[in-house]
Amino acid sequence: MSGWVESSFASLCRPRREIVAPSKDGANRYVGLEGIEPLRLSIRSWAPDDTVRSSKFRFRKGDLLFAKLRPYQRKAAVAEWDGVCSTDILVLEPLPTVDPYFLGFLTLSTAFIDHAIATTEGVNLPRTSWPSLARFKASCPSPKEQEVIADVLLSLRDATATQDQLICALRELKTRTSETLLQIPDLPTGNSDKEGSVDSEDWTMANVGDFFKVGNGSTPARTKPEYWVGGEIPWLNSGKVHEGTITQADQFVTDLAQRECHLPLVPSGSVVVAITGQGKTLGNAALLRLDATVNQHLAYMTPRGEEVSGEYLAAYLGTRYEDLRRRASAGGTTKGALTCSLLEKYPLPICGPIRRRVITDAAAAGNAALEASRSKAANLGHLLASALDLFITGKLSALPSGELKA
């Protein structure tokens, strides 16, 4: 690390403590914690400041915004314009010799985040503070090398962001394709020269429960290690629905847990739907590609026979997200929820086998494209995180020419 100088974090930046009241006409852009995306070093959303009431921090273009609440989330951003932000965000002004993006990536490094986590106070709302972060020791290269390092890491970040945008576009395309194919056409009556074609097949209306067994699971007590330790049976929570097609589990339970708790084994080819959940989770459906158990926040739908497949149901429910959420909210509770009974009675249009095959094939193609893009995005994310730590610690240095050497 020739040319690198060890410094305290306080010698690289200083806190900006400008407190302002929200404007009456929403003239300022307000950034909350939800407006900063983890590991992206950029602001992804904002709102006019007349939508908030209490005083906020002022930030200027080029300042670094670091989320002091729950720092393990790795939320930081370099401001590209002036605005105001939540008081749970530290506003840091880089010194003239410090590249703002280098400083930002420094705050996303494993060493810095570990320090921030170790200095938090509060159980439910853990926060770190400027005096605590100011003591962090960091080594910094010359301003030129800071700029080169920041440029390399920004290129990796942008590649990851592009892949994320592609995933959103593919997900939208898959949904729109299913919506088009699932539109019930105006079919001719009587004999037709189109008989036997996709568009001539009759549609009928049924309920999900006519073709699928519906149920849900549970969460075994975490206080009983015999339910979890050494478990080999896949167990899924509601967050897994965002994968669209679930091929592996993150958690496992034991045979004892399955016997003693309400944990039916849901076979591959079934569909799961989030029946509760925060944010965009509720109402999302996913296709199972493994045998698994589920928690109480997921409903499963297992085909009763071979006539209507889980692939078909998953394609259909993928177009019914907004409707499912509306029905959940219609239950009268402040936190919307679906029920197994509601899902059993949920209307399901059934078309002939030729069109069903077209629908499921299109959905399979969409799922394959999404899986490939998600895999690439995950790899890019891992590469960014690894490269970030290597550069920030000086284990991988950047020469002024841009040439890299280990």
Side-chain angles (χ1 to χ4, degrees):
M1 300 202 310
S2 176
W4 289 55
V5 178
E6 183 173 301
S7 311
S8 67
F9 190 64
S11 67
L12 304 177
C13 59
R14 57 192 172 207
R16 189 186 296 278
R17 296 190 175 96
E18 297 181 40
I19 299 178
V20 295
S23 65
K24 295 181 179 180
D25 57 359
N28 298 311
R29 297 178 180 181
Y30 166 72
V31 178
L33 288 171
E34 69 283 355
I36 301 178
E37 192 171 4
L39 274 174
R40 291 295 188 268
L41 213 58
S42 61
I43 297 171
R44 67 177 175 184
S45 64
W46 57 273
D49 67 337
D50 60 353
T51 60
V52 295
R53 296 182 179 180
S54 58
S55 296
K56 304 300 175 186
F57 285 149
R58 168 86 67 188
F59 63 83
R60 305 291 181 180
K61 180 179 179 180
D63 284 348
L64 174 66
L65 310 183
F66 180 80
K68 65 179 181 179
L69 175 64
R70 301 187 180 95
Y72 57 83
Q73 293 182 339
R74 294 193 174 194
K75 289 187 173 186
V78 175
E80 297 182 355
W81 27 262
D82 295 353
V84 297
C85 65
S86 164
T87 53
D88 278 323
I89 297 174
L90 288 174
V91 180
L92 305 174
E93 179 186 4
L95 296 186
T97 58
V98 178
D99 183 274
Y101 287 96
F102 177 86
L103 182 70
F105 283 119
L106 171 63
T107 64
L108 296 178
S109 66
T110 300
F112 188 90
I113 293 298
D114 286 347
H115 175 84
I117 293 172
T119 57
T120 56
E121 295 182 356
V123 177
N124 295 326
L125 298 172
R127 292 180 176 87
T128 186
S129 63
W130 165 249
S132 298
L133 298 181
R135 297 192 298 269
F136 179 75
K137 298 295 182 181
S139 294
C140 286
S142 66
K144 178 59 179 177
E145 191 166 0
Q146 290 179 35
E147 183 180 347
V148 174
I149 289 173
D151 285 345
V152 174
L153 293 176
L154 285 171
S155 296
L156 284 172
R157 180 205 66 177
D158 292 345
T160 305
T162 299
Q163 199 63 34
D164 289 342
Q165 292 171 0
L166 176 59
I167 290 171
C168 291
L170 287 171
R171 187 183 294 116
E172 182 71 11
L173 176 61
K174 176 189 169 187
T175 300
R176 293 292 172 258
T177 300
S178 294
E179 286 176 343
T180 300
L181 292 172
L182 282 158
Q183 287 180 352
I184 302 177
D186 294 326
L187 300 176
T189 58
N191 294 329
S192 169
D193 57 4
K194 290 186 177 182
E195 188 172 353
S197 69
V198 171
D199 286 339
S200 70
E201 296 188 53
D202 292 334
W203 288 77
T204 59
M205 290 303 299
N207 294 326
V208 168
D210 295 335
F211 294 93
F212 294 85
K213 176 184 176 182
V214 181
N216 68 345
S218 69
T219 301
R222 297 285 185 178
T223 55
K224 294 189 175 183
E226 61 268 27
Y227 286 167
W228 298 94
V229 178
E232 297 182 353
I233 302 173
W235 178 86
L236 309 176
N237 60 24
S238 58
K240 295 291 286 184
V241 294
H242 295 293
E243 297 178 12
T245 300
I246 303 173
T247 59
Q248 59 184 6
D250 304 315
Q251 301 180 69
F252 300 84
V253 296
T254 61
D255 292 335
L256 180 64
Q258 188 187 8
R259 290 196 304 269
E260 294 188 353
C261 305
H262 174 60
L263 285 173
L265 189 64
V266 184
S268 176
S270 300
V271 177
V272 292
V273 175
I275 56 178
T276 65
Q278 300 293 323
K280 297 181 178 181
T281 300
L282 172 65
N284 269 295
L287 180 67
L288 282 186
R289 285 302 186 196
L290 77 165
D291 297 343
T293 58
V294 300
N295 74 0
Q296 67 275 22
H297 303 296
L298 281 174
Y300 66 83
M301 285 155 280
T302 301
R304 296 185 183 277
E306 298 181 359
E307 186 174 358
V308 182
S309 68
E311 288 84 353
Y312 178 82
L313 179 62
Y316 173 63
L317 292 181
T319 70
R320 309 304 297 166
Y321 169 74
E322 295 295 343
D323 184 61
L324 286 169
R325 291 179 70 87
R326 280 194 296 269
R327 290 174 183 250
S329 300
T333 61
T334 55
K335 294 184 178 180
L338 296 167
T339 64
C340 291
S341 176
L342 185 152
L343 291 173
E344 284 180 337
K345 298 173 184 176
Y346 195 76
L348 175 65
I350 305 294
C351 56
I354 298 176
R355 180 178 282 267
R356 287 208 304 273
R357 179 62 180 270
V358 172
I359 291 169
T360 56
D361 283 353
N367 288 334
L370 278 169
E371 181 58 30
S373 293
R374 288 193 186 100
S375 178
K376 186 174 182 180
N379 290 336
L380 284 170
H382 293 320
L383 178 60
L384 173 60
S386 299
L388 190 157
D389 281 336
L390 289 172
F391 275 118
I392 293 302
T393 59
K395 294 178 181 177
L396 190 65
S397 62
L399 299 177
S401 63
E403 178 185 358
L404 303 182
K405 68 176 184 179

